[in-house]
Amino acid sequence: MILAGDEIKKLISLGRLSIDPLRSDTVRENGLDLRIGREYAIYAYEGAAIRPCDLAEGEARRHFRIVKDAEEIAIPPRNFVLLTTEEYVKMPNDVVGLANLRSTLARYGLVIPPTVVDAGFEGNITIEVVNESPNTIVLKPGLRFLHLILVKTEGTAKYLGTYLGQRGVTPPKGLEGEC
């Protein structure tokens, strides 16, 4: 069941869902609109061979350049960046978020891969934004970019993964030992 705005407001008022900061335009008709934070990550090298299965957990991060306090975020053509939400989100243990790019940004050629924000997750949300266009797309922190659809689960769960409690943009972990 997808939660409508009034149900989302109830979760917030009961303290089961937390969004910080919470702005007047965050809760929408059928989800949350979250804003771009001031930090992003982009590959530090071009043309490198990245082997996730050979990288230990912390090693993958060295392949990314993290930019803090960005005034603008330039996404080169046919490339991608990792963006973070301005908001720190605490999800209930019985609600999952389905992340979507706002359709206006998609009309410029930006896309995000299917992304699930797990029940019980808390932190800033890091999202991969891909520029499929032939042009550099420049975004600004504070722009509403991510539409998070909230779905009620049957039963409860608690996310306990690597990204729990992340602050700012978080590059991927290495997958050594998983492959």
Side-chain angles (χ1 to χ4, degrees), residues 52-69:
C53 291
D54 295 341
L55 297 173
E57 189 164 316
E59 288 180 341
R61 294 185 169 117
R62 69 183 159 97
H63 292 285
F64 288 84
R65 181 172 54 91
I66 295 176
V67 178
K68 296 178 182 270
D69 296 321

Side-chain angles (χ1 to χ4, degrees), residues 62-140:
R62 69 183 159 97
H63 292 285
F64 288 84
R65 181 172 54 91
I66 295 176
V67 178
K68 296 178 182 270
D69 296 321
E71 295 293 324
E72 293 184 328
I73 300 159
I75 308 172
R78 313 233 188 311
N79 208 320
F80 84 102
V81 296
L82 300 175
L83 297 181
T84 185
T85 58
E86 175 182 284
E87 298 84 359
Y88 189 92
V89 176
K90 290 182 183 177
M91 297 289 289
N93 290 341
D94 60 350
V95 175
V96 169
L98 306 177
N100 296 278
L101 193 66
R102 286 186 58 216
S103 67
T104 297
L105 293 174
R107 295 171 195 213
Y108 285 100
L110 299 176
V111 297
I112 64 171
T115 304
V116 173
V117 179
D118 290 303
F121 171 84
E122 84 170 72
N124 296 106
I125 301 169
T126 296
I127 295 290
E128 310 78 18
V129 178
V130 181
N131 180 357
E132 292 288 351
S133 84
N135 306 302
T136 296
I137 306 293
V138 180
L139 303 176
K140 291 191 174 199

Side-chain angles (χ1 to χ4, degrees), residues 3-12 27-31:
L3 300 182
D6 60 338
E7 290 298 316
I8 294 169
K9 288 176 183 175
K10 281 183 198 174
L11 286 175
I12 293 169
V27 178
R28 309 302 288 186
E29 298 83 0
N30 61 352

